[in-house]
Amino acid sequence: MKSKTNLPNATAERIPMYYRYLNMLAASQVQRIKSQELSKLIHIPSATIRRDFSCFGELGRSGYGYDVQFLKETFAKVLNVNKLEKIALIGVGNLGQALIRNNFRRNPNLKITIAFEQNETLIDTIFNGVPIYSMALLRQKIQENEITTAISTVPSAHAGKIMPLLDEAGIRSVLNFAPERLKTPQHMMIRYIDLTSELQTLIYLSDREAENQVLSGVDQS
Amino acid sequence: MKSKTNLPNATAERIPMYYRYLNMLAASQVQRIKSQELSKLIHIPSATIRRDFSCFGELGRSGYGYDVQFLKETFAKVLNVNKLEKIALIGVGNLGQALIRNNFRRNPNLKITIAFEQNETLIDTIFNGVPIYSMALLRQKIQENEITTAISTVPSAHAGKIMPLLDEAGIRSVLNFAPERLKTPQHMMIRYIDLTSELQTLIYLSDREAENQVLSGVDQS
């Protein structure tokens, strides 16, 4: 098996999805699956799946398929799913509240356990089981709870000021819902969720697809 | 300029971000920018930026940089930002309400204009200016409003049943917040927002980074 260090980033990004589907397959008592069958389920080319899986050694045999249980356990180890990952939420507006209400309930090892907000009516309340603190307590509470992962819903204009504070508090990774790219503190990794860009790309690709159908003279309607 | 058809998908995915930054630069009266400078702002390698921009012909001169206004206009055309894109929202729970409240306000051409929900207390109300209809009116209202883009916050268990209905109503592209991959109707394009996978990937990459620092004996703290 390649060490964690050598796994290509693109492969790393697909592992959560593989893991989810392997869980579903295992729950449905499926014992073996071929890359072509998995490809149909998750819409990733079977060659990509075989290449990704080969990073973990000989997990399957030609014509026989992959052992679902074994794959599932392999990816569970890679993703460290047996370790509870406590998450700090910064910003409890509409989106923040939606995130707390959902709170990754289908993944019991991911859990928003504390939140921070500057709206005084929310500070010192408990929202769906999650205590909300003032921003002044950010460092203290994150350190007390030994949290290293945060989700920020703070708007772009303020997100840049928050990151150094999170860094000082010991946060190592941030999922950021403000799309503007920030100067990342040395030890920190930031991933951006950019709904506007996703939507613009979707509309562009869809328009192009429609244009192609017209150009190729194929009307499948 | 390459036709829409020939633009690589990876380039297409970066255009919304380029466009956002070019707008910011233009608003700050920046007239020219070099790929290296843009690279620092948006954290994309300058070689990638030059390759992406080269798809649109000779937009820059060596040592001189790119004309911000011209690039901005080029990408505005690609993204068709002067056309109002009306969006139907399916599912007005916590996340749906957060989306309506935000409603892409920084992109005036993207706008959720109608929504559908099965919760009876919300049906036939107007939420932040957006009328909410029953699912029974899905087809009629989408067709009346000539909408081809939808955002679905419907949970995985029900999302599969929604897609054929959207297809019949004339929807061509869907941004889907339920992560399970769906069988896509022939004319439809679906893009998935998968927050759990994003978070798992982030934690994996961050753990790997920390491990690498230990392995390489470099402690930068």
Side-chain angles (χ1 to χ4, degrees), chain A residues 104-123:
Chain A
F104 305 98
R105 56 176 166 248
R106 295 172 69 184
N107 289 69
N109 74 311
L110 300 175
K111 202 163 172 39
I112 297 169
T113 55
I114 57 175
F116 299 89
E117 172 57 52
Q118 56 178 1
N119 178 342
E120 302 229 334
T121 62
L122 289 170
I123 292 170

Side-chain angles (χ1 to χ4, degrees), chain B residues 33-128:
Chain B
I33 189 155
K34 295 183 183 175
S35 57
Q36 293 87 342
E37 296 163 334
L38 195 56
S39 170
K40 277 182 201 150
L41 270 181
I42 62 182
H43 304 178
I44 286 177
S46 57
T48 306
I49 293 175
R50 287 193 298 276
R51 200 176 56 233
D52 284 346
F53 287 7
S54 75
C55 296
F56 301 94
E58 287 302 315
L59 297 180
R61 267 187 290 154
S62 185
Y64 175 91
Y66 295 94
D67 184 303
V68 168
Q69 193 60 35
F70 185 69
L71 268 185
K72 185 188 133 183
E73 284 164 16
T74 302
F75 293 141
K77 260 182 250 162
V78 173
L79 294 176
N80 216 350
V81 296
N82 294 317
K83 178 187 157 218
L84 173 64
E85 192 71 46
K86 290 180 289 185
I87 301 159
L89 173 71
I90 324 297
V92 193
N94 299 305
L95 176 60
Q97 291 179 21
L99 291 169
I100 290 179
R101 283 213 175 94
N102 182 291
N103 212 347
F104 305 98
R105 55 176 167 250
R106 295 173 68 184
N107 289 68
N109 74 312
L110 301 175
K111 203 164 172 34
I112 297 169
T113 55
I114 57 175
F116 299 89
E117 172 57 51
Q118 56 178 0
N119 177 343
E120 302 228 333
T121 63
L122 288 169
I123 292 170
D124 293 331
T125 65
I126 293 178
F127 183 80
N128 280 51

Side-chain angles (χ1 to χ4, degrees), chain A residues 44-160:
Chain A
I44 287 177
S46 58
T48 305
I49 293 174
R50 286 194 300 276
R51 201 177 53 235
D52 285 346
F53 288 7
S54 74
C55 296
F56 301 94
E58 286 303 315
L59 298 180
R61 267 187 291 154
S62 186
Y64 174 92
Y66 295 94
D67 183 303
V68 168
Q69 194 60 35
F70 184 69
L71 267 184
K72 186 187 130 182
E73 285 164 15
T74 301
F75 292 141
K77 261 181 250 163
V78 172
L79 294 177
N80 215 351
V81 296
N82 293 319
K83 178 187 158 217
L84 172 64
E85 192 71 46
K86 290 181 288 184
I87 300 159
L89 173 71
I90 324 297
V92 193
N94 299 305
L95 177 60
Q97 291 179 21
L99 291 170
I100 290 179
R101 282 211 175 94
N102 182 290
N103 211 348
F104 305 98
R105 56 176 166 248
R106 295 172 69 184
N107 289 69
N109 74 311
L110 300 175
K111 202 163 172 39
I112 297 169
T113 55
I114 57 175
F116 299 89
E117 172 57 52
Q118 56 178 1
N119 178 342
E120 302 229 334
T121 62
L122 289 170
I123 292 170
D124 293 331
T125 64
I126 293 180
F127 183 79
N128 280 49
V130 176
I132 303 177
Y133 300 109
S134 77
M135 297 298 290
L137 292 177
L138 191 90
R139 184 174 181 159
Q140 182 198 327
K141 290 293 174 187
I142 286 177
Q143 289 182 337
E144 270 176 20
N145 289 278
E146 297 182 329
I147 293 176
T148 58
T149 302
I151 298 177
S152 172
T153 67
V154 174
S156 288
H158 305 290

